[in-house]
Amino acid sequence: MSRNALLRGTIGIAVSVIAIWILFQSVDIAAAFDVLRTASPAWIAVMLVTTTVDIGARGARWHALLAPIAAIPYRRVLGYTYIGYLANNVLPARLGELYRSHALGEGEGVSRTTVLGTVVVERVV
């Protein structure tokens, strides 16, 4: 493992630990579970299905935008899409979009600048 990868991994773990600590300090966990207990399972299922379809469609749209640049399988593009949305939930100012373009660029060997351009177009669409 390279020193750079070790440093990035350490920073990633540190950010995750800090985010979890902030979460537990700012959220009343017992009250959150009380709300979840009273929620209708049918509405939770509807929410899960619509969210999955929504992110799947966004991944397909991004896959279509990436097709002329690089032949990346849909499942991997969808994975990078989920990574970006996860990062958006943790990082401020939609930095997850930058992170997903960086992750795809590094993981697939594509220019990060070009990938960022497709992310901008995908978000505008």
Side-chain angles (χ1 to χ4, degrees):
M1 181 182 293
S2 72
R3 187 176 188 159
N4 192 19
L6 183 62
L7 178 64
R8 278 190 274 158
T10 303
I11 290 171
I13 290 170
V15 168
S16 297
V17 168
I18 290 168
I20 290 170
W21 181 79
I22 290 170
L23 173 77
F24 281 119
Q25 297 300 313
S26 61
V27 173
D28 183 0
I29 303 296
F33 278 119
D34 286 340
V35 169
L36 286 175
R37 263 189 244 115
T38 62
S40 167
W43 282 113
I44 292 173
V46 168
M47 183 267 316
L48 289 173
V49 168
T50 56
T51 302
T52 302
V53 169
D54 176 50
I55 295 176
R58 290 172 189 244
R61 185 172 57 208
W62 193 33
H63 182 256
L65 290 170
L66 287 167
I69 299 163
I72 303 170
Y74 170 72
R75 288 176 59 109
R76 290 213 308 252
V77 172
L78 183 62
Y80 291 118
T81 304
Y82 274 110
I83 287 170
Y85 283 103
L86 174 67
N88 274 339
N89 287 325
V90 176
L91 301 172
R94 293 275 196 210
L95 288 176
E97 305 302 337
L98 289 175
Y99 186 76
R100 87 168 150 146
S101 63
H102 169 75
L104 186 137
E106 186 173 294
E108 303 299 326
V110 180
S111 164
R112 289 182 198 105
T113 307
T114 304
V115 174
L116 181 60
T118 65
V119 168
V120 170
V121 170
E122 189 265 329
R123 292 303 290 183
V124 169
V125 169

